[in-house]
Amino acid sequence: MVLFRLLKALIHKKSLIYLLIALIPSLAVSLTLARHQVRVVKSDYKLRAQEYANFHAMNIERFVGETVGRLEMLSTALNIQHISLKDIEKILRETKGKDPRFSGFYWANTSGDVIISTNKITTRINVSDQPYFQQARDEAQTSISEAHNGRVTGRYIISIATPIVDRHRVKGVFVASLRMDEIKKEIFRLVNNERITIKDATGKPLIQSGSIPNQYNVKSVMKISRVPWTITAFVNPNTKKVFWDSFFKNLFISLFTMSILFLLINYLLLKRKVQKEKEQTELHKLELIGNLAASTAHEIRNPLTGIKGLVKLLSEENDEPKAQSYYKVIQSEIDRINAIVSELLILGKPTAYTLKTYNANVIVSEIAPIITSETNYTNVELTFHYHPEELPVSCVKDQLKQVILNLTKNALQAMPYGGNLSIHLDKQSDNCRITVSDNGVGMSKDQVSQAFNPFFTLKKAGSGLGLTVCKRIIDSYGGEIKIKSTPNQGTQVEILLPLVSQI
């Protein structure tokens, strides 16, 4: 009973120490860092909202500006050429037919009577009571109306009026009506993840891309100069997700670090109280170090880099030939270990990726400059043969590039004194075929049969994993890779990838 109480008190004490040293500080640090991350994300999204607002404002400015320019040029052309009303009507109808965003074009005399209309008019229409018409006629300059329902079509529009001036006298007004629904459609076509609201000078909403949920709490407002509108872009930084992701990530790191600190402190306390358990404590320490080493195995390249640098420094300080030969061997073996670790990570660790459809011709053309620059230094003549049609394949672009670059690298190394390298793309049944051919040293049948085996290599400094990685990538696409080779004549590597049917 006494032993049970002592054990319970010891556990309680350890829990309290862990709470004070690890858990509470970790929670405090994680909370602070998570709040900071939310502020950073909000700041970034504020800039993004400004970019969205500016983009859509510029798009509206551009369209309105183009319309104003078109009307003013037409007005100038009419004054110079003295075109008849019939010809004017024909020009206006042709202009309207080129862009669905126009509701109609009209010519009104100075009294406001509509004389020419691209839309059918059954009754007399007079626009002299419209402020935009009055401004264009009285001030002899282009004016733009508020959004309103048109008298001819009944559509929701804005009107742009340009005076027709002859010898400093206004003899009529051109009016172009822009459809708000088409402007709205154009804006929606360019909307991505943001929400957009456009309001007129009175604050009345004109265009809104869906409802604005509460989570779209970051916004940017911008005025549009050519029309009396303001545009507001709303974005959703998803601060809750950002907060909790950052919180748990930092909590894990903090707890891990604090747990190590707690274990070290606990170890010191145990060592002071229980001297007789030194051997068991040392064993526990070794086990802890082993677990930590296993959890950081992916960091093996970091200490390798440090070792390599130190060996290089030592080699520079010691010029003795025998020592230099040792340093050279050490450097070579470190490079070999690093290369093996890098390729093992690709070979052994499963990665999550999404296959997309790409044109194989385009993929090869994107890496053509890299291959060309390599051949320029090796006295190798390079030729590319692209298929005249598209070759759509489902793959990860960067992985397929890596495969082709690995094969061309092998080919160049097989031609140390120069030669010919060819990359050919064509169709074979329902497959895309990519062939990499060289006239280098070639391989025997036995060597070809082992080419895809891990750690099999014919190079002194090779890891023997390059072709293994290539095969794994091609297999994951449902494809096939083959090697044909003849000693002293060359090697041909053929890749077959299923073509994606395009509907």
Side-chain angles (χ1 to χ4, degrees), residues 71-85:
L71 287 177
E72 291 179 347
M73 289 178 62
L74 189 58
S75 173
T76 302
L78 292 177
N79 281 330
I80 295 174
Q81 301 177 19
H82 303 290
I83 303 174
S84 66
L85 292 180

Side-chain angles (χ1 to χ4, degrees), residues 52-78:
Y52 285 138
N54 182 65
F55 171 76
H56 291 292
M58 291 293 291
N59 189 47
I60 295 173
E61 294 271 12
R62 177 186 57 78
F63 176 64
V64 174
E66 288 176 356
T67 304
V68 170
R70 189 177 298 179
L71 287 177
E72 291 179 347
M73 289 178 62
L74 189 58
S75 173
T76 302
L78 292 177

Side-chain angles (χ1 to χ4, degrees), residues 26 51 84 173 187 238 256 259 261 265 278 351 375 395 417:
S26 296
E51 293 175 356
S84 66
V173 176
I187 292 173
N238 201 353
F256 183 80
S259 295
L261 180 61
I265 294 174
K278 183 177 179 180
T351 54
T375 57
C395 66
Y417 305 108

